[in-house]
Amino acid sequence: MKRIYSVLVENRSGVLCKVAGLFSRRCFNIDSLAVGETDDKNVSCMTIVSSGDLRTIEQVEKQLNKKIDVIKVKTFDESQSISRELMLIKIKYNKSNRRDIMENCEIMKAQIVDMSTHFMIIQICDVPERIQLFIKMLQSISIVEVARTGTLALSKCTE
Amino acid sequence: MNGADAIIKCLEKEGVEVVFGYPGVAICPFYNSILDSEIRTVLIRTEQNAAHAASGMARVTGRPGVCAVTSGPGATNVITGIATAFADSIPLICITGQVNSELLGSDVFQEADITGAVESFVKYSYLVKKAEDIPRIMKEAFHIANTGRKGPVLIDVPIDIQNASLGKFEYPEEISMRTYKPTVKGNTVQIKKVIKELEKAKRPIICAGGGVLLSDAQHELRSFADKHRIPVVTTMMGIGVMPTEDPFYFGMVGNNGKPYANRAMNESDLLIMVGARVADRAVSQPDLITENKVLVHIDVDPAEIGKNVGPTIPLVGDAKHIFDDLNAEEFSCSHEEWIDTLNEYRKTMAPKRKPNPDFVDPAELIRLLSLKMKEDSIYVADVGQNQIWSCGYHIVRKGMFLTSGGMGTMGYSIPAAMGAKLAAKDRQVVAVCGDGSFQMSMMELATMRQHDIPVKIIVLKNNYLGMVREYQHYTYKDHYSVVDLSGSPDLEKLSAAYDLPFLRLSDMENVEGVLDEFLKEDRSVLLECLIDPYDLVK
């Protein structure tokens, strides 16, 4: 079972290590982890995607809450949240496949953000499944490098 | 005033009377400032024992014990002591010196990333970056260590921060931590649910863990059990919650506990687990304590509830508050048959021993010892077979029973007993260890001599690492590996070297006389008891 944890933490050095260390020590999986400052510069938001059975999910939340640098833990599953991931992918292209690549980008709403005579960097921001799909579409072309942010998520707006 | 002066000032404000430790350059400013204070320093002989001694002190005073060691190897040596305290939720403040803050990360002499290294064994840790932060950090550290689920807090202070001057010293009155507010008061709805279950229960039982002692709730728990005639069992860390001979007390549970205690817990229809982690040694089959019964789990740490077993009624809060609330409720429950059944179990299921008459019987020795010790004595058990005998046969009356239950750290008893003795100078303190665990801490005999800490020590000597040997006997069919303690020192000569009185018991003849001699006067004595190496494996 996949679960998304949106964890507000004190923006201090060592906090990332404490939270990541908790996952490894307790043998909880981390599928992805993204960290960034919030509107308050003293607070960071960590978005952690983890998977496990019900008991594990409950334990992850409780153990996170126990950490003294953790301000708030919100958890939700994918259906209750809007999640996005950003990927930059560098590929090697040639004359014969350039057109195909551009078409793929158009279909997937990806953008070419940098280019040289042989290489280009494509940017895509989408849900993790579509990012995976995009990688698959580019697999026949030679992929040089990939950088992904990991999932970012917020719970859906409710009245 | 510099940073080191500020740390000492904070310790004074917190009422700290003793600091256990070992100096090195990186903690020298601290040890320089402490000379101007009333705080007593105890030079321990290895850093791990500084944490154990602080732990012994904390368990007696109910306030955090303090140790201070140097950077690098000093700091890494203390880790086992910190982990031991963490496993048993003992409040500890551990101050470590650190290299100059500008050199941090450059692998200079005696630099160790101690906050990183202890991360999974501390409740919290600080790396002090500004001397001005010291008062706030110290205030927070003491608060964190001794509230909620208690535990060790480490404060790493670079030497330049200890030397940096501090404008003015102001110790904060209040704590403002938005992220740390432990729940102590139990939820009223949940408490009502517990009462409702108690009214229905035919076979209720309370299983008390170390959390009850940490919350100082033994009196409240006993009144509750007494008033409603509810039987009580304990985990190893819960020994001492009830006097051993209380008619409602049915012993320690677990694979080293009393068979009737386990049976009582398994056959109950309402189990109130309080301040216990439900870990593998106490409850080897978690299914049995949830099967056909209502399980109430009371703990101040919400993460403990549901970690190992899923309770019917979770109840987060401090044991003292919760038993106060439970005691305030009027209700009646009746289960006389259940008490009769348990008394029958106690009579018929008591473990039978066949001691070898050529040696000292450790079980009988410990039983006699505990009856001869003063009522309020503190008994500190080490780790190994000796711990199992201590748990099984020591009779607690009004005293305390201390041991390393969670981590099972050998060598705990002597330093912890020293800490306990310094906290309770007018109480008798006895450390009981095996010859393996004794040799892990025997360097502290010097500390006892130097600082005049009259701890009494019993060494149960069988020339083996008995517990591992027992395991190898059952699991590897007597294929013994690395458990022979040949080469151990002659304890009589060792005692003479430390100028300590020495006694020896080779068998049970004259055991009473020797124990009387051992317990006479408030002085350190080492008593060697020769026990059968084949005990427990025959």
Side-chain angles (χ1 to χ4, degrees):
Chain A
M1 204 164 130
K2 261 209 168 36
R3 194 80 179 162
I4 300 169
Y5 301 85
S6 177
V7 188
L8 295 180
V9 297
E10 298 281 2
N11 189 1
R12 288 184 195 139
S13 65
V15 176
L16 173 62
C17 169
K18 287 178 185 181
V19 172
L22 164 71
F23 275 77
S24 69
R25 171 166 113 73
R26 301 239 173 225
C27 302
F28 302 145
N29 294 318
I30 295 186
D31 296 343
S32 79
L33 179 131
V35 195
E37 224 174 77
T38 63
D39 55 324
D40 178 348
K41 68 173 177 21
N42 297 314
V43 177
S44 292
C45 180
M46 291 187 182
T47 310
I48 304 166
V49 181
S50 173
S51 46
D53 57 18
L54 266 177
R55 181 175 283 184
T56 311
I57 283 170
E58 189 190 306
Q59 263 297 304
V60 171
E61 189 179 347
K62 282 179 168 176
Q63 294 293 346
L64 281 170
N65 269 312
K66 235 171 104 166
K67 284 279 158 199
I68 287 171
D69 290 313
V70 170
I71 301 165
K72 196 175 170 122
V73 182
K74 284 187 277 186
T75 89
F76 27 83
D77 59 37
E78 284 163 301
S79 64
Q80 299 164 306
S81 65
I82 298 296
S83 55
R84 289 291 179 273
E85 187 175 352
L86 176 76
M87 175 174 73
L88 295 174
I89 182 165
K90 189 189 278 176
I91 53 172
K92 194 170 180 194
Y93 72 96
N94 54 42
K95 252 196 191 132
S96 65
N97 61 18
R98 206 180 75 156
R99 195 62 239 167
D100 280 354
I101 294 168
M102 288 171 71
E103 251 173 47
N104 279 339
C105 288
E106 209 164 309
I107 297 166
M108 296 298 286
K109 295 203 172 70
Q111 284 169 285
I112 296 162
V113 288
D114 191 27
M115 211 166 172
S116 66
T117 40
H118 298 294
F119 300 96
M120 64 167 86
I121 295 176
I122 305 169
Q123 163 194 309
I124 177 169
C125 177
D126 212 322
V127 293
E129 296 72 44
R130 283 181 52 94
I131 301 239
Q132 213 53 51
L133 175 66
F134 189 57
I135 293 177
K136 222 168 155 189
M137 289 162 78
L138 294 178
Q139 230 138 33
S140 58
I141 304 154
S142 122
I143 297 175
V144 183
E145 271 179 290
V146 173
R148 298 169 68 165
T149 57
T151 305
L152 294 176
L154 288 177
S155 59
K156 280 183 180 165
C157 302
T158 49
E159 287 315 316
Chain B
M1 173 180 277
N2 65 19
D5 297 331
I7 299 174
I8 305 296
K9 195 105 192 160
C10 297
L11 295 179
E12 286 171 346
K13 292 267 182 199
E14 291 292 339
V16 173
E17 288 171 11
V18 183
V19 169
F20 300 92
Y22 209 109
V25 169
I27 194 75
C28 268
F30 172 91
Y31 277 111
N32 186 51
S33 299
I34 209 165
L35 283 179
D36 299 327
S37 156
E38 297 284 303
I39 297 173
R40 181 172 176 187
T41 49
V42 174
L43 172 63
I44 217 87
R45 290 326 196 245
T46 184
E47 289 88 350
Q48 179 180 320
N49 291 337
H52 289 333
S55 155
M57 179 162 257
R59 292 172 74 168
V60 175
T61 60
R63 296 192 307 272
V66 181
C67 59
V69 300
T70 194
S71 65
T76 53
N77 263 352
V78 88
I79 294 178
T80 302
I82 292 177
T84 305
F86 185 70
D88 292 338
S89 309
I90 309 296
L92 224 62
I93 299 290
C94 180
I95 299 165
T96 50
Q98 181 56 280
V99 301
N100 193 305
S101 61
E102 282 171 13
L103 298 175
L104 273 173
S106 54
D107 301 327
V108 292
F109 179 67
Q110 293 198 329
E111 178 185 355
D113 168 23
I114 191 64
T115 50
V118 294
E119 173 50 29
S120 53
F121 308 116
V122 289
K123 189 165 170 191
Y124 199 58
S125 63
Y126 293 91
L127 171 59
V128 185
K129 291 188 173 151
K130 282 194 302 239
E132 293 75 48
D133 290 343
I134 287 172
R136 174 187 58 82
I137 287 176
M138 295 295 289
K139 178 84 183 176
E140 284 179 7
F142 274 86
H143 176 68
I144 292 169
N146 210 29
T147 52
R149 180 174 183 177
K150 300 176 182 190
V153 175
L154 181 129
I155 307 165
D156 197 25
V157 198
I159 187 166
D160 55 317
I161 306 294
Q162 294 176 56
N163 285 324
S165 66
L166 206 70
K168 65 170 193 218
F169 178 86
E170 216 172 300
Y171 200 58
E173 297 277 316
E174 301 280 313
I175 303 267
S176 72
M177 294 181 74
R178 60 175 159 180
T179 58
Y180 179 69
K181 289 185 185 78
T183 306
V184 290
K185 188 126 181 61
N187 180 296
T188 325
V189 178
Q190 299 298 86
I191 287 173
K192 294 262 188 262
K193 275 191 206 164
V194 176
I195 301 290
K196 208 167 254 172
E197 291 298 338
L198 270 166
E199 283 174 327
K200 280 193 291 189
K202 292 274 172 288
R203 300 183 304 280
I205 197 162
I206 296 171
C207 176
V212 175
L213 296 167
L214 288 163
S215 125
D216 194 22
Q218 50 277 40
H219 175 74
E220 288 75 3
L221 186 146
R222 277 182 217 158
S223 323
F224 186 73
D226 256 14
K227 187 168 155 197
H228 301 290
R229 302 178 63 76
I230 303 171
V232 179
V233 289
T234 62
T235 64
M236 183 184 281
M237 292 305 291
I239 293 178
V241 168
M242 299 284 280
T244 311
E245 293 182 324
D246 188 295
F248 290 107
Y249 180 55
F250 289 90
M252 179 182 108
V253 297
N255 48 7
N256 292 311
K258 299 278 192 236
Y260 50 83
N262 289 323
R263 185 160 180 192
M265 186 162 77
N266 294 339
E267 288 183 4
S268 65
D269 64 351
L270 170 64
L271 169 58
I272 302 177
M273 194 54 98
V274 48
R277 296 182 296 143
V278 200
D280 58 327
R281 291 297 157 113
V283 182
S284 50
Q285 290 166 282
D287 330 346
L288 286 182
I289 66 157
T290 45
E291 222 168 62
N292 307 321
K293 64 168 64 64
V294 174
L295 173 64
V296 177
H297 196 173
I298 304 170
D299 207 294
V300 74
D301 178 0
E304 279 309 332
I305 298 176
K307 187 177 85 179
N308 297 327
V309 287
T312 329
I313 307 175
L315 182 42
V316 178
D318 178 72
K320 199 179 183 89
H321 281 84
I322 288 175
F323 276 96
D324 265 341
D325 288 348
L326 287 169
N327 279 323
E329 299 279 338
E330 282 307 324
F331 69 97
S332 65
C333 58
S334 146
H335 37 261
E336 285 312 305
E337 260 176 57
W338 171 233
I339 305 262
D340 293 344
T341 312
L342 294 190
N343 278 322
E344 191 56 31
Y345 289 170
R346 172 151 52 192
K347 228 181 284 163
T348 54
M349 292 175 72
K352 300 230 171 12
R353 284 182 51 81
K354 274 184 250 150
N356 183 340
D358 297 334
F359 291 93
V360 173
D361 172 17
E364 183 58 11
L365 174 90
I366 288 166
R367 196 187 69 83
L368 281 173
L369 168 75
S370 52
L371 291 175
K372 284 181 179 288
M373 280 163 63
K374 290 185 182 143
E375 271 199 326
D376 66 345
S377 310
I378 299 166
Y379 184 106
V380 192
D382 217 291
V383 170
Q385 285 177 321
N386 63 85
Q387 186 182 34
I388 307 313
W389 287 314
S390 290
C391 291
Y393 300 97
H394 175 63
I395 297 165
V396 185
R397 287 174 290 168
K398 291 176 181 161
M400 295 181 82
F401 179 87
L402 311 181
T403 194
S404 159
M407 191 55 79
T409 308
M410 284 175 70
Y412 179 77
S413 68
I414 292 175
M418 294 192 322
K421 183 67 190 176
L422 286 176
K425 295 190 185 69
D426 49 354
R427 289 165 80 173
Q428 218 169 34
V429 179
V430 180
V432 178
C433 45
D435 42 352
S437 47
F438 173 75
Q439 287 179 72
M440 282 207 181
S441 285
M442 66 181 182
M443 71 292 266
E444 301 307 340
L445 296 180
T447 314
M448 284 167 49
R449 298 296 301 151
Q450 180 184 7
H451 298 277
D452 189 21
I453 310 171
V455 166
K456 295 177 186 292
I457 300 171
I458 294 184
V459 182
L460 302 176
K461 186 176 159 81
N462 62 1
N463 283 314
Y464 278 100
L465 296 175
M467 197 162 221
V468 184
R469 188 180 190 283
E470 186 184 334
Y471 182 75
Q472 290 174 349
H473 165 78
Y474 289 112
T475 311
Y476 299 102
K477 309 271 177 289
D478 289 338
H479 201 227
Y480 297 128
S481 180
V482 210
V483 288
D484 182 341
L485 281 174
S486 299
S488 298
D490 176 330
L491 294 188
E492 187 169 8
K493 285 185 185 156
L494 187 80
S495 300
Y498 284 101
D499 194 19
L500 277 175
F502 174 82
L503 294 166
R504 179 182 288 126
L505 260 178
S506 312
D507 51 40
M508 293 305 272
E509 207 178 307
N510 197 24
V511 61
E512 303 234 4
V514 172
L515 283 178
D516 288 336
E517 174 68 20
F518 174 69
L519 292 173
K520 179 179 91 180
E521 293 172 26
D522 197 22
R523 51 162 196 174
S524 295
V525 194
L526 198 145
L527 166 60
E528 176 187 74
C529 300
L530 305 180
I531 61 167
D532 181 5
Y534 295 95
D535 200 310
L536 292 179
V537 293
K538 242 183 348 190

